[in-house]
Amino acid sequence: MAEPQPLFDYTGYLPECPTWSEAEQALYWADIMECEIHRYDTRSGEHQVLQFPEEVGCFSLREKGGFIVALRSGIWLTDAHGLLRRKVCDNPSNPELARFNDGGTDRDGRFYAGTFWGPGDYNGALLMRVDNDLKPTVIQCDIHGANGLAFSADRRWMYTSDTPNAVIYRTPLDEQGEPGRREVFRRFQPGEGIPDGAAIDVEGCYWSAMFDGWRIARFSPQGEELESYPMPVRCPTMVCFGGADMQTLYITTTRENMEDDELAQYPLSGAIFTLPVAVAGMKKLPFRER
C-alpha cells in the first residue's frame, strides 16, 4: 500500500476544504482560522495565498470564475482574486457562536455550507444550501459540527457527518434534489477516530478523514468499512480526489489545539498530503449561478 506524502513544503494551522480544479490542474484549500484560500499549481509548483477578512469555513469554485465562500458572518461571491463582490446571505446561525465549517456543491452545482457550534453545549449548528438563483435555504438542524458533505453518483443520497457526535448520516434526495429524513450511516466508537471531511468515489464509496484517528477510511454504500489508510499525523481534516486521472487523494490535516511536544514529534501536522489510490473519485462541480 502506498503511503501518504507531503504535497510540498507547507504546514498550515487548520487546512480544510481541498478542491481540485481539473482545468487548472491545481489544488485549492482553505486555512480556516488564518482566513485564507490557497492555490497550488501541480505543474509549476506555484503556491498562492488569498487573504479574507474573516475565517473561511468553506468555499467552491464558481463556473463564472472566482469563488463562493462562506465566511463567519455570511456567504459571498468573490472574483478570482478573492475580492468580495456580492453578499449572498448572512450566517443563519449566531455568528458570534457558530462559524461556517464544511461545504461544497451537489450534482446540480448548488452550494451547501454547514456551521460548527462553538459553545458545544447542544446541537446548535445547521446545514444550508444556496440555489443556482442565489436563494438561501436552511435544510438541516440538530447538528453540533457540520462536516463530511458528499453526494452519491446516482444523485439519490446526501452524506454528512457530525464530527463531535462521531456519526455519519445519509439523507435521501428526491428527483429535484430535495432532502428527506436523514438516517444514521455509521457511528464510531472511541479509538476509531471521528469522521471529518469526505469525498465519494466512482464506485459509490465514501472516503472519510478520521480526525484524531491517524487514518483515512473508505466505506461501502452500505456503511461497511472496506479499507483504512494510515496517516503520519493524528488529525486529517478532509479529502478530495484530483490529478489527471482523478486517482490522487489530496488530504488536509491540522495542527490546531496541539501541544508543542506533539508538533515536535509530528512536524507534518498541518501539511497537505497526496495518496495514489486504485479507484477514481467523483469530480466536484463548480457553483453554477443563473
Side-chain angles (χ1 to χ4, degrees):
M1 180 183 293
E3 296 183 354
Q5 299 295 327
L7 175 62
F8 71 112
D9 185 16
Y10 159 86
T11 52
Y13 186 71
L14 181 52
E16 281 268 17
C17 202
T19 300
W20 177 252
S21 169
E22 183 180 21
E24 302 172 33
Q25 292 292 293
L27 183 73
Y28 289 83
W29 68 94
D31 192 324
I32 295 179
M33 306 309 289
E34 298 296 330
C35 309
E36 297 168 344
I37 290 179
H38 293 246
R39 178 185 182 274
Y40 181 79
D41 189 315
T42 59
R43 294 173 295 193
S44 69
E46 181 183 12
H47 177 212
Q48 299 171 297
V49 183
L50 302 177
Q51 193 71 42
F52 290 82
E54 300 171 1
E55 299 101 311
V56 179
C58 57
F59 69 93
S60 287
L61 302 176
R62 292 168 62 197
E63 192 171 57
K64 294 183 177 181
F67 309 91
I68 182 169
V69 58
L71 303 180
R72 176 178 282 271
S73 63
I75 296 177
W76 288 78
L77 301 180
T78 84
D79 65 15
H81 304 289
L83 296 177
L84 306 183
R85 294 302 190 187
R86 178 177 177 180
K87 191 171 190 178
V88 176
C89 65
D90 291 325
N91 181 348
S93 296
N94 181 341
E96 294 184 3
L97 301 178
R99 60 166 174 79
F100 280 107
N101 190 57
D102 181 83
T105 51
D106 66 11
R107 302 297 173 214
D108 294 310
R110 299 179 295 184
F111 180 68
Y112 294 68
T115 60
F116 197 102
W117 186 249
D121 52 346
Y122 78 107
N123 291 343
L126 53 81
L127 177 66
M128 67 172 299
R129 184 184 72 212
V130 177
D131 290 338
N132 308 108
D133 61 1
L134 302 184
K135 176 186 176 183
T137 305
V138 174
I139 61 170
Q140 285 184 346
C141 298
D142 190 25
I143 302 166
H144 186 165
N147 256 316
L149 181 76
F151 294 88
S152 64
D154 61 11
R155 306 167 68 98
R156 294 179 55 205
W157 297 99
M158 176 179 73
Y159 294 87
T160 56
S161 65
D162 189 337
T163 303
N165 287 321
V167 60
I168 299 171
Y169 295 106
R170 68 175 188 171
T171 301
L173 303 173
D174 66 18
E175 292 183 357
Q176 287 72 46
E178 295 301 320
R181 182 184 295 273
R182 75 182 185 187
E183 60 188 49
V184 172
F185 180 69
R186 188 178 178 102
R187 292 191 184 275
F188 296 86
Q189 301 302 315
E192 291 187 280
I194 50 179
D196 206 319
I200 292 278
D201 67 32
V202 295
E203 296 179 357
C205 294
Y206 182 87
W207 296 66
S208 178
M210 299 303 295
F211 190 89
D212 205 27
W214 300 87
R215 67 193 185 104
I216 306 299
R218 181 182 185 235
F219 300 97
S220 75
Q222 292 73 42
E224 176 189 2
E225 184 170 322
L226 302 177
E227 296 166 298
S228 182
Y229 297 83
M231 290 291 296
V233 295
R234 179 168 58 88
C235 294
T237 57
M238 193 170 177
V239 297
C240 83
F241 290 92
D245 56 5
M246 294 297 290
Q247 288 185 226
T248 298
L249 198 67
Y250 290 97
I251 306 162
T252 52
T253 69
T254 184
R255 55 178 46 215
E256 184 184 31
N257 298 326
M258 292 184 180
E259 300 294 337
D260 290 344
D261 57 348
E262 180 175 3
L263 293 175
Q265 188 173 2
Y266 303 103
L268 291 177
S269 299
I272 312 296
F273 290 87
T274 66
L275 178 67
V277 293
V279 61
M282 294 294 298
K283 296 177 181 179
K284 283 187 179 181
L285 294 180
F287 176 62
R288 294 172 175 167
E289 64 210 78
R290 292 200 294 265

